[in-house]
Amino acid sequence: MSTWLVIIIVIAAVLVVGAAAWFVVAGQRRRRLRETFGPEYDRAVKEHESPREAERELSSRVKRHSDLDIRPLSSSTKDRYAQEWALIQEQFVDRPSGAVVEADRVLVSLMAERGYPTEGYDQQLADLSVRHANALRHYRAGHETLEHHAESEMSTEDMREAMKHYRAVFEDLLTDGDEGVKNDGKQASGDRGLGDRRTHHG
């Protein structure tokens, strides 16, 4: 066998091994990202031109998150926020729109307490997606209702649903995802204080 043929075979073998290794590494990365982001992975793929571009963006979220100083909450801080949330739910009966606004404010405050930057809604979603991906659809739904309410009149039922979505995010942040959205936003403590009126408020 001639020397040049041996060289070609060796080069081909190296390329095959390299390609196989790349596919293995890419598969492992994709699996890790799917496990980390859950439904957010599929959402990112839909929003980008290719899965590879989506994975680069998700990887950058992981890198940014690793640089954040995310802190657990003390028992007293958890109790304080739980009491504040209970007051907001009581407020919903008479002032549903005001309660939804307060719920959004408390969520942002809780994010800051945990160590998440709060400079903008889109960045909040990106930062939360690394450890609270399952809660993001609730945050989006609640925030969307709040924005629509600012533009037009929303029914009490719409705002009640927004409160339920916000509560799912609240509990997920409060417990660091250990308990929050395990039951798809159905909280063990229920939604006491949200009433059952179906009137419209301006």
Side-chain angles (χ1 to χ4, degrees):
M1 185 179 295
S2 62
T3 302
W4 67 267
L5 186 57
V6 172
I7 293 175
I8 290 176
I9 292 174
V10 170
I11 292 175
V14 170
L15 290 176
V16 169
V17 171
W22 183 87
F23 278 111
V24 170
V25 171
Q28 291 175 340
R29 182 180 64 176
R30 181 171 293 111
R31 186 163 53 253
R32 285 196 302 270
L33 290 173
R34 282 187 177 277
E35 291 174 355
T36 298
F37 290 95
E40 283 297 302
Y41 177 92
D42 294 328
R43 185 185 183 93
V45 170
K46 289 179 181 179
E47 291 177 348
H48 291 78
E49 294 183 357
S50 69
R52 186 179 301 179
E53 184 179 340
E55 288 172 5
R56 280 199 297 267
E57 200 271 326
L58 293 175
S59 295
S60 71
R61 295 189 197 181
V62 174
K63 174 62 172 63
R64 173 182 162 91
H65 189 279
S66 68
D67 294 332
L68 299 177
D69 181 22
I70 306 301
R71 304 176 292 273
L73 299 176
S74 66
S75 296
S76 60
T77 301
K78 287 183 179 180
D79 289 342
R80 172 166 57 83
Y81 273 100
Q83 291 170 9
E84 191 169 357
W85 190 268
L87 291 174
I88 292 173
Q89 289 198 156
E90 291 177 8
Q91 175 187 345
F92 183 89
V93 176
D94 296 316
R95 295 183 60 246
S97 60
V100 174
V101 171
E102 279 297 291
D104 186 82
R105 180 193 63 78
V106 168
L107 277 184
V108 174
S109 175
L110 182 54
M111 291 175 206
E113 191 92 43
R114 292 295 313 277
Y116 287 100
T118 57
E119 64 262 30
Y121 173 67
D122 289 337
Q123 189 60 60
Q124 291 169 16
L125 290 175
D127 291 337
L128 290 175
S129 68
V130 179
R131 285 175 65 171
H132 301 275
N134 290 330
L136 289 195
R137 70 179 185 87
H138 294 288
Y139 192 28
R140 287 190 178 99
H143 189 78
E144 182 178 342
T145 298
L146 183 61
E147 287 191 327
H148 285 175
H149 176 68
E151 298 172 359
S152 61
E153 182 176 318
M154 300 289 289
S155 71
T156 301
E157 185 59 29
D158 288 333
M159 287 183 279
R160 180 182 292 109
E161 288 302 311
M163 284 293 294
K164 290 179 180 179
H165 285 302
Y166 274 148
R167 184 184 177 97
V169 185
F170 174 80
E171 293 197 344
D172 200 57
L173 279 168
L174 202 67
T175 61
D176 201 18
D178 294 334
E179 302 170 9
V181 198
K182 280 185 178 179
N183 296 318
D184 197 29
K186 297 177 182 177
Q187 299 78 23
S189 54
D191 292 296
R192 294 185 299 273
L194 296 186
D196 192 32
R197 296 187 302 176
R198 299 177 185 272
T199 56
H200 291 254
H201 290 253

